[in-house]
Every structure is written in C-alpha cells, then in structure tokens.
Amino acid sequence: MAGVHSRLLATFLLLLSFGLPLLTAAASSAGCGKGPTLRNGQTVNTNVNGKSRQYTLRLPDNYNQSNPYRLIFLWHQLGGSAQKIIQGENPNQGGVLPYYGLPPLDTNKSAIYVVPQGLNAGWGNQNGEDVTFFDSMLQSVSDGLCIDTNLVFSTGFSYGGAMSYSLACSRPNKIRAVAVLSGSLLSGCAGGNDPVAYYAQHGTSDSVLNVSGGRQLRDRFVRNNGCRAVSEPNPGQGGKSTRVDYQGCQQGKEVVWVIHGGDHNPSQTDPGSNTPFAPRNTWEFFSRFN
Ligand SMILES: *[C@@H]1O[C@H](CO)[C@@H](O)[C@H](O)[C@H]1NC(C)=O
Ligand SMILES: *[C@@H]1O[C@H](CO)[C@@H](O)[C@H](O)[C@H]1NC(C)=O
Ligand SMILES: *[C@@H]1O[C@H](CO)[C@@H](O)[C@H](O)[C@H]1NC(C)=O
C-alpha cells in the first residue's frame, strides 16, 4: 500500500511541477523586463495604411515592468470618441462610465487599457483597416509595455461592440474574450469560424440595433464554441436582466448572454438598482481568465 501511495504521490508531484507552470505561465511580451516606452495617459499617433490613427493608454498606478498585464481594448460607439470613453458620460442619460466602468473593479490593478479613436467616429473597418489598426496597436503596446499576450480582451457598446465581434471573428488567436454590449454586424466578420469566449448583453426594446442582430452575433460563437443551444429567455419583471450561461462549451470558450427589457443603453440597470450591470458582468467574465 505504501508503495502505491508513494508512486501516486510521485506522479502527483511530477504533474504539479510540470503541469502547473505550463498552465499558469504568462506569455510575457517583448516589453517585459524593460523600461516602458509608453506612458499612462499618452495618446499615440500612428499611421495605418496611409491614414493617421490615434489611441490613448491607461496604465495602472505603480506599473511594474516585470508584471505581465492584461490588455483591454475599449471601442467607442458611433459618434463617440476615445475622450468620451476616458472621461465617461452620465450613465443616467445612456452614457458610459469612464473606461466602461472597469478600472474600479480591477482591485488587483491587473489591466492596461487601450482606447482607440475611430475614423469618422465609427468602426466601418473598410477593407479590414480597423483590424489592421488593432494589429498595429497590439504590436506597439506589446513591445513598449509588459503584457500577457494570452490575456488580450475587447469590449465596446454598439459600434464598439460590433468592432469587438469583428475581432473575435478575425483574430481568435489574439483575443481571449470579448464583451459585446448591444452590438450588431457593422464592422464585418472576416473568418469567424473559430471559438472565442463571448459575453453579450442586449435589450429587447433596443430601438437602434434590434435584439435579433445581437442574437445573430451570439449564435455564431455558441456554434463555434461548441455550446448547446438553449431556448431563448425573456427579461424578468420590470425588464430585469436574465442571464444564460451556455453549457457544454469548449473549456475557456464560454458564452454568456444577458437579455434585458431596455433600449440601446450601455448603462442599463436592473429595477431597484442604480448600478449599471455591464461593468460587473464584463469584469467577472474577463477576470476568469488568467
Ligand atoms: C514587480 O513584480 C515582480 C514580479 O511579480 C515582483 O517580484 C517585484 O517585487 C515587483 N516590484 C515592485 C516594486 O513591486
Ligand atoms: C485578483 O487576482 C486573484 C488571483 O489571480 C483572482 O483570483 C481574483 O479574482 C482577482 N480579483 C479581481 C477582482 O479581479
Ligand atoms: C433587425 O435589424 C436588421 C438590420 O437592420 C433588419 O435587417 C431586421 O429586419 C430587423 N429585424 C427585426 C425583427 O426588426
């Protein structure tokens, strides 16, 4: 018996010593271990396909060049701007909280944010130019800062949700998870055959991008991720959000869908609450991955 036990123990220790480091190892970017070449609050000008493009960075306090950070892309809505994402707008009037409300939830200070500015204040992604812009930003930030390249995320409302979906389609090996807030098919879907962890929320009374568009996007990743389809839930009383965690998805390729009774609104709250639920749901989803 003792022999069996010690062999089991030895196997277990072997698994521990070889398995765990593989599972938990961060994919450190080229910028790790070096002085940062990009600063908190910096707006970077770059040139993509002959067009001038801009994005602004937010680094956590006490940025540590030895620590591989999560990288979260925040795309604005049509007519919005990087500046409006940074400053935030009144959530009681359908505005977004600063940085989509995520930094206060990141109590570990684990994330760096990239806030891009759209051409014509949108993400038309003509000939894939906004995806190319993403590639360029990811490269520069990976070189200039310490990023865990396995922990790259994307979120946005409306057109910004469409752009996040487009990246899930075309960059499944770079994007770990997306959060699509009231999105629709507006920025294209090149590729679109691979699994990516997918959170989305949508209102049944959306008067700008109807909920069927949001369901269509979701269903692509329900399929790609190998999840079982479920019957469509309704919002609860007073439009209260109802959440579906799809089952049977490939590991790490979860799909979460939140349906609510509201309009086109990134800051939808549940009855009796003043707190928009998108930030907490998004952070809960993104922080599962490490
Ligand atoms: C930076 O992070 C490294 C790795 O996690 C850690 O060993 C070091 O103590 C940190 N430095 C500071 C100043 O916190
Ligand atoms: C902080 O990090 C720990 C360890 O990775 C993780 O379990 C926890 O969920 C994180 N907290 C938040 C709020 O993200
Ligand atoms: C939803 O919007 C799409 C795109 O604008 C449109 O093609 C479709 O007919 C709409 N569906 C419903 C049920 O209103």
Side-chain angles (χ1 to χ4, degrees):
M1 278 311 270
V4 173
H5 276 149
S6 54
R7 273 204 302 280
L8 278 176
L9 185 64
T11 310
F12 180 61
L13 288 177
L14 202 73
L15 281 173
L16 261 187
S17 56
F18 289 98
L20 280 185
L22 280 177
L23 284 174
T24 56
S28 302
S29 72
C32 292
K34 298 180 188 158
T37 61
L38 297 165
R39 295 185 317 277
N40 181 40
Q42 182 176 356
T43 294
V44 180
N45 284 288
T46 181
N47 188 295
V48 178
N49 296 350
K51 293 183 186 173
S52 162
R53 309 298 306 258
Q54 291 81 35
Y55 61 96
T56 303
L57 290 164
R58 182 188 191 281
L59 275 60
D61 300 339
N62 305 320
Y63 168 82
N64 179 339
Q65 66 194 44
S66 305
N67 181 15
Y69 287 88
R70 299 166 181 277
L71 188 62
I72 305 181
F73 284 82
L74 306 175
W75 310 86
H76 62 71
Q77 68 190 88
L78 179 62
S81 65
Q83 200 50 36
K84 286 176 182 171
I85 295 294
I86 291 164
Q87 288 178 342
E89 295 186 289
N90 188 345
N92 297 323
Q93 293 170 11
V96 290
L97 293 166
Y99 299 92
Y100 281 105
L102 299 178
L105 303 176
D106 180 13
T107 46
N108 291 334
K109 299 189 189 304
S110 65
I112 291 172
Y113 297 88
V114 179
V115 191
Q117 175 63 47
L119 295 172
N120 306 313
W123 307 105
N125 193 26
Q126 233 175 59
N127 303 318
E129 65 184 350
D130 291 322
V131 172
T132 307
F133 180 32
F134 163 80
D135 291 338
S136 150
M137 291 186 281
L138 181 57
Q139 183 71 53
S140 303
V141 174
S142 299
D143 289 345
L145 297 170
C146 185
I147 300 302
D148 185 338
T149 57
N150 283 335
L151 297 178
V152 178
F153 303 91
S154 178
T155 188
F157 167 65
S158 195
Y159 223 148
M163 187 60 205
S164 296
Y165 172 78
S166 184
L167 289 175
C169 290
S170 61
R171 293 295 180 264
N173 299 327
K174 291 185 175 172
I175 295 282
R176 188 68 176 271
V178 294
V180 175
L181 315 179
S182 313
S184 200
L185 184 59
L186 302 171
S187 306
C189 174
N193 299 313
D194 296 306
V196 173
Y198 195 84
Y199 170 86
Q201 63 175 62
H202 216 112
T204 51
S205 307
D206 196 316
S207 56
V208 179
L209 300 175
N210 67 40
V211 67
S212 10
R215 289 184 178 123
Q216 255 173 41
L217 307 190
R218 173 203 66 193
D219 286 344
R220 174 182 290 276
F221 286 95
V222 168
R223 273 194 312 275
N224 289 357
N225 298 7
C227 318
R228 285 193 292 278
V230 295
S231 58
E232 188 62 41
N234 290 313
Q237 200 164 17
K240 187 180 193 310
S241 62
T242 302
R243 171 189 175 115
V244 179
D245 289 79
Y246 281 76
Q247 300 298 304
C249 312
Q250 293 175 34
Q251 195 179 358
K253 307 294 178 185
E254 288 80 17
V255 175
V256 175
W257 170 252
V258 168
I259 186 89
H260 61 81
D263 200 342
H264 197 58
N265 180 5
S267 296
Q268 185 71 25
T269 58
D270 278 326
S273 161
N274 289 321
T275 309
F277 50 73
R280 132 173 78 74
N281 287 349
T282 300
W283 187 258
E284 183 278 322
F285 196 64
F286 288 176
S287 63
R288 295 175 179 195
F289 305 96
N290 46 44

